[in-house]
C-alpha cells in the first residue's frame, strides 16, 4: 500500500464520509481494491467504518428484506488484502473484528461472481454461517489493519441457492435492494446519529 500524507488534525468538521460503492474481488481478481479508499478515509479522520452489503440468507427464519448485523465472518476464499505487505502489523487480530454485539450473525464470503451451488450453501450452513455474499470481508480486514472500528449490516435480498424456488440473478438482488433501501437508509441514519461524538 502506498504511504499517504498524514493530516493529524483535519481542519474540517466532517462527521461522516460516504462512498457510493466498492470494488469487489470478482471484478479484477485482486482483493485489495479498497485499500486506498480506506486509507484516505483514515487520513481524513474517520475511525469507524460502517459497511453495508446485499446477501443471501441461509436461515429459514431470516427471509428476504431482513437486515442482519454482522458479528463475525468466514473468509471462505482464504484471500487476504494484506498478503505481501511488510511489517508485523499485518498479523491482524480478527477477534471482535466487528464491534461486539449481543447476537452472533456470521457472514460467509464467497468470491463470486457466480452465485453459490446448493451444496455450497449447505456447507456454509454447517460451518455456522447465517448469510452469504461477495464483499465486506476484505474491507473489514483492511479496516482492522488500519485500526478502524467496523460495523457491518447485511441486507438480505434472497434465500441462498437451493433454499427456495426463486431463481437467483443480479437483477433480482438489485430489485430487492431497491425495495428495501428506504428502511435500510433510515436504520443507517439512526446508527450514524448514535455513533460517539468524537468518531
Ligand atoms: N450469494 C452471494 N451474494 C449475494 C447473494 C447470494 O445469495 N445475494 C446477494 N448477494
Amino acid at each position: 500500500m502506498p504511504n499517504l500524507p498524514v493530516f493529524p488534525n483535519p481542519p474540517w468538521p466532517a462527521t461522516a464520509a460516504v462512498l457510493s460503492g466498492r470494488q469487489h474481488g470478482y471484478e479484477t481478481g485482486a482483493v485489495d481494491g479498497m485499500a486506498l479508499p480506506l486509507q484516505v478515509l483514515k487520513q481524513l479522520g474517520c475511525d469507524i467504518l460502517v459497511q453495508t452489503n446485499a446477501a443471501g440468507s441461509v436461515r429459514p427464519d431470516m427471509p428476504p428484506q431482513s437486515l442482519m448485523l454482522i458479528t463475525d465472518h468466514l473468509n471462505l476464499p482464504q484471500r487476504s488484502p494484506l498478503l505481501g505487505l511488510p511489517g508485523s502489523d499485518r498479523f491482524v487480530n480478527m477477534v471482535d473484528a466487528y464491534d461486539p454485539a449481543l447476537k452472533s450473525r456470521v457472514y460467509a464470503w464467497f468470491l463470486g461472481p457466480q452465485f453459490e451451488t446448493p451444496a455450497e450453501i449447505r456447507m456454509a450452513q454447517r460451518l455456522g454461517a447465517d448469510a452469504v455474499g461477495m464483499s465486506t470481508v476484505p474491507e473489514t480486514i483492511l479496516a482492522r489493519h488500519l485500526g478502524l472500528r467496523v460495523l457491518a449490516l447485511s441486507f438480505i435480498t434472497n434465500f441462498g441457492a437451493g433454499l427456495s424456488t426463486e431463481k437467483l440473478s443480479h437483477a433480482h438482488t438489485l430489485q430487492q435492494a431497491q425495495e428495501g433501501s428506504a428502511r435500510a437508509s433510515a436504520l443507517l441514519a439512526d446508527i450514524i446519529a448514535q455513533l460517539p461524538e468524537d468518531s
Side-chain angles (χ1 to χ4, degrees):
M1 281 191 267
N3 276 329
L4 292 175
V6 177
F7 304 108
N9 296 305
W12 48 85
T15 53
V18 183
L19 302 183
S20 64
R22 56 156 64 84
Q23 191 183 96
H24 299 79
Y26 61 72
E27 292 176 52
T28 62
V31 298
D32 61 354
M34 293 307 291
L36 188 59
L38 290 178
Q39 281 185 71
V40 169
L41 289 179
K42 167 92 180 171
Q43 300 296 346
L44 289 175
C46 291
D47 57 13
I48 298 179
L49 177 68
V50 179
Q51 296 204 63
T52 60
N53 63 43
S57 168
V58 304
R59 298 175 63 105
D61 62 350
M62 189 169 66
Q65 299 289 319
S66 302
L67 282 158
M68 181 187 96
L69 179 70
I70 301 176
T71 55
D72 206 346
H73 71 224
L74 289 166
N75 180 346
L76 293 180
Q78 278 299 292
R79 302 276 304 276
S80 173
L82 309 180
L83 211 64
L85 288 189
S88 55
D89 69 344
R90 68 187 148 175
F91 301 107
V92 178
N93 184 343
M94 297 299 290
V95 176
D96 291 340
Y98 303 87
D99 257 35
L102 289 177
K103 272 195 170 179
S104 164
R105 289 284 181 262
V106 176
Y107 173 89
W109 177 36
F110 283 81
L111 188 58
Q114 74 285 355
F115 285 101
E116 300 72 32
T117 63
E120 286 165 342
I121 292 296
R122 290 196 298 275
M123 174 188 75
Q125 285 176 322
R126 285 186 192 139
L127 289 175
D130 297 286
V132 296
M134 306 178 195
S135 66
T136 305
V137 169
E139 295 90 311
T140 297
I141 297 170
L142 286 163
R144 294 306 296 151
H145 184 235
L146 290 167
L148 301 175
R149 293 164 63 195
V150 178
L151 187 151
L153 278 177
S154 285
F155 180 75
I156 302 298
T157 52
N158 55 277
F159 280 116
L163 298 182
S164 91
T165 51
E166 202 157 49
K167 190 166 170 283
L168 296 182
S169 69
H170 189 49
H172 178 261
T173 301
L174 293 179
Q175 178 230 320
Q176 284 287 317
Q178 185 60 41
E179 278 176 30
S181 66
R183 260 179 65 237
S185 310
L187 180 68
L188 271 179
D190 264 10
I191 289 172
I192 290 168
Q194 287 175 43
L195 291 176
E197 263 302 302
D198 59 356
S199 300

